[in-house]
């Protein structure tokens, strides 16, 4: 069986259409499936729509969070709930084309040695140029920091049950699924898809939320920014040695160092580097604080499923 996990946040205009389209494609290709919708604390009528779907359709499982915990938590809730021999992650707005699921499924089914089938973007669709540049920079930083190549990667991928079980065993609360599913290794195949237009509504990602997501993802997956603090400290030490030698030479030659403006600029520069370094260290301390509290990644308020799925 194939479990299709669909995180949903304020997607009242999409969930019913998505369920119908994906179900139709699965039945056409005679694939045994279940749809696992995870309502991530939506403020609209997404949960009401999902409740209706569990009453009117087969093969539907609907999870409702007590509040908004974020897409990462919704993904891992879906992985924990899924009962399939393989799981596919996809967006609720159908920008991930459902027909690609069939392609990924066939690759996995016909190649026992393939554990992950990753769908990469053949193009990025109609995307804001600024967002595109920041996205490329983000993946470049991830590659430099962790050695993982994630250019054009997405959450749209198929995972064999053994990979899902491995991810579910990972104890950390602060997760970055896109990188973690790459980090576990296993044999991976790749398919390419073209990003589709949203069926309804607009993206829920603002510039602020994307920047926050990028920072949290990098710091959750790599300690490279902490090494940056060490590099900054080493560079400042070298600059201090050079300026110290220059000052002493000038003094012994009878030319006292002058330049009040230079001193002020140096103090401002050094102070800024210190504050940035403390900020990076403080961010990691906050992450450690969040982890050691051992709070759950999410809280499930309701769980519903169609008769065919039990419950």
């Amino acid at each position: 069986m194939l479990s299709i996990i669909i995180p949903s946040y304020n997607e009242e205009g999409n969930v019913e259409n998505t369920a119908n389209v994906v179900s139709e494609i699965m039945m056409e290709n005679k694939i045994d499936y279940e749809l696992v919708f995870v309502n991530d604390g939506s403020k609209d009528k997404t949960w009401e729509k999902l409740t209706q779907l569990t009453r009117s359709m087969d093969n539907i499982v609907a999870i409702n969070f007590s509040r908004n915990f974020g897409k990462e938590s919704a993904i891992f809730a879906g992985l924990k709930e899924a009962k399939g021999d393989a799981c596919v992650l996809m967006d609720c707005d159908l920008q991930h084309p459902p027909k690609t699921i069939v392609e990924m499924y066939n690759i996995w089914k016909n190649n026992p040695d393939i554990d992950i089938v990753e769908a990469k973007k053949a193009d990025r669709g109609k995307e804001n140029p600024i967002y595109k540049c920041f996205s490329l920079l983000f993946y470049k930083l991830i590659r430099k920091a962790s050695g993982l190549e994630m250019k054009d990667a997405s959450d749209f991928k198929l995972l064999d049950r053994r990979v899902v079980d491995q991810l579910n065993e990972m104890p950390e609360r602060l997760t970055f699924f896109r990188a973690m599913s790459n980090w576990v290794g296993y044999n991976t195949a790749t398919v390419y898809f073209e990003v589709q237009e949203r069926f309804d509504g607009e993206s829920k990602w603002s510039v602020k939320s994307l920047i926050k997501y990028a920072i949290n993802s990098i710091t959750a997956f790599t300690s490279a920014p902490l090494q940056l603090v060490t590099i900054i400290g080493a560079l400042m030490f070298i600059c201090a040695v050079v300026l110290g030698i220059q000052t002493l030479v000038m003094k012994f030659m009878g030319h006292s160092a002058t330049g009040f403006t230079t001193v002020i600029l140096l103090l401002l520069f050094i102070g800024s580097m210190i504050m940035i370094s403390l900020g990076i260290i403080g961010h990691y301390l906050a992450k450690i604080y969040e982890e050691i509290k051992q709070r759950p990644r999410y809280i499930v308020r309701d769980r519903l499923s169609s008769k065919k799925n039990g419950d």
Side-chain angles (χ1 to χ4, degrees):
M1 185 175 71
L2 180 65
S3 296
I4 302 171
I5 301 167
I6 310 174
S8 308
Y9 176 67
N10 292 344
E11 298 285 3
E12 64 177 354
N14 286 316
V15 288
E16 184 175 356
N17 180 69
T18 298
N20 288 328
V21 170
V22 176
S23 295
E24 183 179 351
I25 291 174
M26 294 300 105
M27 287 188 288
E28 284 177 358
N29 291 273
K30 299 180 180 179
I31 298 175
D32 187 19
Y33 73 98
E34 67 172 355
L35 302 181
V36 182
F37 284 92
V38 182
N39 180 42
D40 185 19
S42 298
K43 298 177 181 178
D44 61 4
K45 296 181 179 180
T46 299
W47 180 244
E48 286 82 351
K49 294 282 187 180
L50 291 174
T51 301
Q52 294 171 9
L53 284 177
T54 60
R55 295 169 180 168
S56 61
M57 295 180 64
D58 291 332
N59 306 323
I60 302 288
V61 178
I63 304 298
N64 185 34
F65 283 175
S66 61
R67 65 169 178 84
N68 177 246
F69 284 91
K71 186 178 181 181
E72 289 292 312
S73 295
I75 288 174
F76 278 90
L79 291 174
K80 185 176 180 180
E81 178 66 31
K83 297 179 175 64
D85 301 295
C87 297
V88 168
L89 275 297
M90 70 173 292
D91 288 345
C92 190
D93 53 19
L94 292 184
Q95 287 193 299
H96 294 158
K99 289 184 178 180
T100 306
I101 296 175
V102 179
E103 184 181 356
M104 292 192 289
Y105 176 82
N106 288 332
I107 291 174
W108 167 76
K109 186 176 180 181
N110 297 324
N111 297 274
D113 58 327
I114 296 297
D115 303 297
I116 300 174
V117 183
E118 183 170 4
K120 290 190 175 183
K121 300 172 184 176
D123 65 78
R124 304 191 68 90
K126 295 180 180 179
E127 191 173 70
N128 187 305
I130 296 176
Y131 172 79
K132 184 176 181 179
C133 289
F134 275 105
S135 179
L136 293 174
L137 176 61
F138 169 71
Y139 288 122
K140 185 176 182 179
L141 289 173
I142 287 288
R143 186 178 72 253
K144 293 289 186 182
S146 65
L148 299 177
E149 179 54 65
M150 296 180 59
K151 184 181 178 182
D152 299 321
S154 70
D155 294 329
F156 190 28
K157 58 186 67 182
L158 180 147
L159 307 174
D160 184 85
R161 168 50 58 181
R162 73 184 100 181
V163 181
V164 174
D165 290 341
Q166 190 66 58
L167 289 172
N168 284 334
E169 289 178 5
M170 292 186 177
E172 61 258 45
R173 269 60 179 168
L174 305 173
T175 57
F176 181 25
F177 169 76
R178 201 170 299 184
M180 290 171 67
S181 58
N182 194 321
W183 177 85
V184 293
Y186 292 99
N187 296 325
T188 303
T190 302
V191 298
Y192 292 89
F193 71 96
E194 293 186 1
V195 179
Q196 306 297 302
E197 293 290 333
R198 286 180 60 91
F199 175 76
D200 181 77
E202 297 179 353
S203 173
K204 309 306 184 295
W205 292 95
S206 64
V207 174
K208 180 180 178 181
S209 61
L210 283 170
I211 292 174
K212 183 178 179 181
Y213 177 74
I215 293 173
N216 287 336
S217 298
I218 291 173
T219 54
F221 193 72
T222 175
S223 61
L226 284 175
Q227 308 307 318
L228 181 62
V229 174
T230 304
I231 294 172
I232 290 174
L235 291 175
M236 294 305 300
F237 176 75
I238 293 171
C239 291
V241 171
V242 171
L243 289 174
I245 293 173
Q246 181 190 30
T247 302
L248 289 173
V249 170
M250 294 289 288
K251 182 174 181 63
F252 290 139
M253 292 178 62
H255 303 288
S256 298
T258 59
F260 181 74
T261 304
T262 303
V263 174
I264 293 298
L265 290 175
L266 283 173
L267 287 174
L268 290 174
F269 179 72
I270 294 170
S272 298
M273 292 299 100
I274 291 173
M275 295 305 293
I276 290 172
S277 300
L278 288 175
I280 294 173
I281 295 171
H283 188 77
Y284 273 93
L285 286 174
K287 295 295 182 184
I288 295 171
Y289 175 66
E290 291 293 329
E291 287 285 354
I292 63 174
K293 286 191 292 187
Q294 294 290 294
R295 288 179 180 174
R297 292 171 179 161
Y298 53 84
I299 298 174
V300 175
R301 185 178 185 273
D302 305 288
R303 180 192 182 279
L304 298 174
S305 65
S306 305
K307 291 182 180 179
K308 190 173 179 179
N309 294 82
D311 293 1

